[in-house]
Amino acid sequence: MTVATALPLTLCAVCTINGVNKTQTSCSSSVTLEPEVEVELLFNCSQPIGESYTVTNTRSIECTKDTCSPKVEQMSPSILKEFTRNFVWEVKAPKKTTVTVDLFGEGLIETSRPCSDGFQYSVATSTSKTKSPTQYCREGRKMVITISPDTTVVLSRDLQESDCEVCTGSPPNCSSTEKTLTAAEKLQVEFGCPKPQDDYSVKIKKTIGNRMLSVTPDPDTIITIRRVSQEPDCSVCVKKGSDQKCNPDLQQLTDPQNISVEFTCPQPHNIYSVEINREIDCTETSCSGDIVQLETTFFPDFNRTFTWDLKVVPARTFQLDFPEPGMQQIPKEDSCPDGHTYSLISYLRSGPADIGTFCKGGSVTTIMGRYKGRMSLRVSGDVKLDPVDFKIKVGPETSFMAIMKVKLPRGVSDTDLYTPKYPGDFPDMQQMQWEFTVPDMHNYTMHFRQYTDPECLKDGVMVEYVKENQQVTKLTTSDPQPQHQQGNFSMVLKNCETNKTLQGLSLSYRVSVMRSSHPVLCTVDLTKLQDVSLQIEKVGSESFCEMSIDSNVKEKINVTGGTKATLSFLDCPNDDVRLTASKVIGCRNVPSCPSTVFNVPTLDSCLPMPLHSFTWHVNIPSDGTVDLMSPTGSFQQSLPGQECNQPVSLRVAETNGFLFGDFCFNGTIQKIQVHESVSITATAQDFKKTGGPFLNVSVSQEISETILYRVKPSMTSPTLLATPNWPQGMKPFSTISWLVSVPNGYKAHLEFVNISLPKCTGSHASIIVMMLGYKEELMSRREDQEVEDTLLVPESFYLNMTNCLPEEHHFGIMTKIVLQKKSYLLAILLGLAGALLLLLTVVAVVCIIIKRKKAKVNKESSIYMGRGSFFRPGDRHFTKTRSDNESHIYDYIDDTMVYGHLLSGSSGTDNMQDIYKGNQIDSYQTFMGPSDGTVPTIKEPDPNPETDHKTFLDPDDTFIPSRPRTPIGRNDSLGFQDRRMVDNELYTFKSTGEINTIRLSGADMAESQEITDEFL
């Protein structure tokens, strides 16, 4: 928007006011206003400003072959409505494209004349620069007009023209030739043709003479018509029924009924004024009604005074409460710029006292007065009534003649106040109180600008300052007043009994407020960070922070990369401001796009607020894909039931603002690929403690999907996946895929827990599930088909969703994946059965082998007898086996036969020889019986010369166990076996070397002892 003047700068200029104290002014012939930036303008012009300045508001509309952005545009007629305004829309469209403009309302009609309603439209194209623009006016079929009582309007037309009727009233009263319109208020006129200005002519007749009005007073209201000018001659007549009374000076209307008032002059508003009075009575607790001023339809062009007479019981006060932004006190002789001037009078016992004169918009919020008072509103005849709807109620008891409450504004301000009757005398022996509310972090200073001290006959003039929980400070008007104080306070002015022949007490003072804190200055240097910019803005509607950049106060500060700026912050706590930063990263083609690690650069330490977020704008070529990987290895999408409660979160969105989702670290998403330029915003609780890196970013070749997730589901808990922009829905014509990796030995239980399907036009939305490496689809559904709630997928799979152009609703799905271990029970049972069968087979084979071996051993064993013929066991000479007969059972065992060798050489030797004269048992004897064949010759060893004969085996050479506790040699023990013996049929020796024993028993053997006669 541009505000400009065509007059020389010496005659007219438009100025901007800025600075901490609004003392800096910059003036020129034109000023360009930025959107959403508040600017205070000063119009310095010696000519009428409404005719000297022009406001031009230019907007652009970009159109493609299919649509325009924005699609809807509207004017803001309330902005700078005092000036001539030009609203320009520049519409840009591709070649050979037709743009249609539809206007809301009743449309436009083409014309070559100025428009009667002041709204002139014109259209020009780029191909018609040499031609004059086509002009239009609003279609004039309907209009509302007001006709004064002394005016008659005649609409007439030629019958030879096209057919066109004119109608008024309801039901319509129409005529196709002529229509006469008389005095009316907001009369609706409707024409039956689109261009009535071409068919009808208008004649206006104004009557110079009497003027008549119809008036109906409200209850408890008195209307007084009073003459204020002596010239010219005029009377006001009031007619009640058939009775009419005329008076040239004064008339009062009190009856709440329709009364006709007639003036005998054509312009009575220049001669008479109207006073509308209403009485409001108050009890000890309430008043009869609030002050609500309604616009009256009678006497609209007269100077009017609205008065309210207020009455309360003697012990109480009446209290007037003004709505925001309050009232501003002005000197009594001044008037308000909007034509609405308020005044309050309090009726004291000593006479009426003017409490003050006020305008709308100030710091006075409440006024209380004693006894009786009158509130007045003066409105000039050329001003439309726009009153303040203030309220009245019963106030507390007080000894002050009046109490005024003042709420001082924030920032730098000066509030001027005056004593009652100023510049007249303050009433004797009276006191008045002003209660001031001072904003936090602000200082106030009292300035007595103009004052007169009376000559006191009794007591003296006193000024008292009262603060909560503090002692009263008493001063005179000539003493220094409080300066640079903080907190709410009250000031009481007390007058004395004065000498009325001299000038009395009067006071005009000012309360100045300024911020108590000092601004925080910071110089931000981004000359070394060319691609980084800073943004600082206020948050919250109740913020009183004041920010400036290079001494210019701004609501939002933007420091671009590569620049340097001086910032100032006044009363800006961290909760009231937000600091964000951004960086632009881009490349022209995929090979030139490097892999990047996203870190937050270090900003100037003088910034008083912490960094709230940092945004990377990644711009890639159309054939590229942004690959996002977490430095911790994975992402987690923030979803209901799977929220991110980590110190850092990431928001991924398209550059146009479409949101993909919010993410944090250490989740199930291994990689995110986006086939768009993206904006990634990192938000941290404290960037100083979280230094990064935040992302690993690279650019690869384009993918067919809009966004692709690579997911490794959790093995311990469910994994939630949601479409982008959840829960609002996917972007039209976009495609999203998840590549889900299922570990070996697991299967995936897929459940669609929340489904929102659109109604498509022209194409279809789809859901596809397919195992990786397979061409066959496990599931494929459109938006008009029923979707299964659950699906079991045995291996890694591919989940794809494609959106259409939704006609209704949106496309959004939340999916839950639960991993389950595969069941191998059947394979285990089959394996066990096979193993058992194999074991039984092995056992059977072993048993057969053992049985055969035993049979072979039995066949190979033999007994040889020295006398007689030999036989083979296989000849079956023994009819019973050893286990079946009792050949191995002895009737008795003779100890001498076992231990006889120990008795050799003793006296019992001879006796032993006698014993062995018979047949010997268990001793070797040559077989002397018959034989079937030749007896083999066996060479027996020579008998021992020392003994005639011995037992079958010497006990020392046998393995017969010895008696208990009988010492034996280690080599003779059962715990040992001679290694010289071999496992053959005869258990013969393999060598004739030294005995080499094998220990067969684990028990410790006692050392061999020599057997003595004493032991035996």
Side-chain angles (χ1 to χ4, degrees), residues 440-626:
D440 296 336
M441 299 182 293
H442 283 69
N443 293 343
Y444 67 87
T445 298
M446 302 294 294
H447 304 280
F448 284 4
R449 304 171 64 195
Q450 295 179 355
Y451 65 90
T452 58
D453 283 332
E455 181 181 334
C456 292
L457 301 178
K458 183 181 179 181
D459 298 330
V461 176
M462 186 68 63
V463 181
E464 295 180 355
Y465 292 95
V466 182
K467 281 191 174 183
E468 187 178 359
N469 301 326
Q470 293 188 16
Q471 293 183 352
V472 178
T473 301
K474 297 182 178 181
L475 303 172
T476 65
T477 54
S478 59
D479 292 335
Q481 304 304 311
Q483 295 184 356
H484 304 296
Q485 301 293 317
Q486 292 187 359
N488 302 333
F489 72 99
S490 298
M491 187 191 83
V492 178
L493 178 64
K494 295 181 178 181
N495 198 9
C496 61
E497 184 180 347
T498 66
N499 184 354
K500 296 186 181 300
T501 62
L502 301 175
Q503 187 176 12
L505 174 64
S506 65
L507 173 63
S508 168
Y509 67 96
R510 172 175 291 176
V511 184
S512 298
V513 176
M514 65 182 301
R515 298 178 185 268
S516 58
S517 57
H518 298 284
V520 177
L521 302 179
C522 179
T523 301
V524 177
D525 187 2
L526 298 180
T527 55
K528 296 182 180 179
L529 300 173
Q530 296 290 330
D531 299 327
V532 177
S533 61
L534 300 184
Q535 300 82 34
I536 306 173
E537 60 181 338
K538 297 180 184 179
V539 292
S541 58
E542 300 297 329
S543 174
F544 300 106
C545 167
E546 182 178 287
M547 306 185 303
S548 64
I549 175 171
D550 296 332
S551 301
N552 295 320
V553 178
K554 300 286 185 180
E555 292 294 316
K556 184 176 182 180
I557 292 177
N558 185 20
V559 183
T560 58
T563 63
K564 189 175 183 180
T566 300
L567 309 182
S568 174
F569 304 94
L570 186 60
D571 294 338
C572 296
N574 291 343
D575 295 337
D576 290 352
V577 291
R578 178 175 295 173
L579 169 63
T580 59
S582 60
K583 183 178 182 180
V584 178
I585 301 174
C587 54
R588 295 183 177 181
N589 49 66
V590 174
S592 66
C593 299
S595 298
T596 307
V597 178
F598 280 0
N599 290 290
V600 175
T602 303
L603 304 179
D604 291 280
S605 60
C606 62
L607 289 168
M609 69 288 297
L611 179 63
H612 177 266
S613 63
F614 194 95
T615 302
W616 293 271
H617 299 285
V618 183
N619 298 322
I620 62 170
S622 58
D623 60 343
T625 299
V626 179

Side-chain angles (χ1 to χ4, degrees), residues 38 136 206 229 290 377 414 461 463 482 484 552 558 595 621 626 665 776 802 814 911:
E38 184 177 348
Y136 300 89
K206 194 170 184 66
S229 176
D290 295 342
L377 168 61
D414 293 323
V461 176
V463 181
H484 304 296
N552 295 320
N558 185 20
S595 298
V626 179
F665 301 125
E776 192 175 322
T802 302
M814 180 180 288
N911 296 331

Side-chain angles (χ1 to χ4, degrees), residues 27 36 71 83 85 106 153 230 276 384 398 423 440 489 583 600 619 646 699 712 733 795 848 861 865 878 921 1000:
C27 300
E36 299 181 358
K71 293 183 178 180
F83 306 101
R85 290 158 294 165
E106 299 181 1
V153 177
Q230 298 300 322
I276 303 171
K384 183 180 179 181
T398 182
D440 296 336
F489 72 99
K583 183 178 182 180
V600 175
N619 298 322
Q646 301 180 14
V699 179
K712 185 177 182 181
F733 300 119
E795 297 181 10
I848 293 173
S861 62
M865 301 300 294
F878 292 97
I921 300 173
L1000 301 178

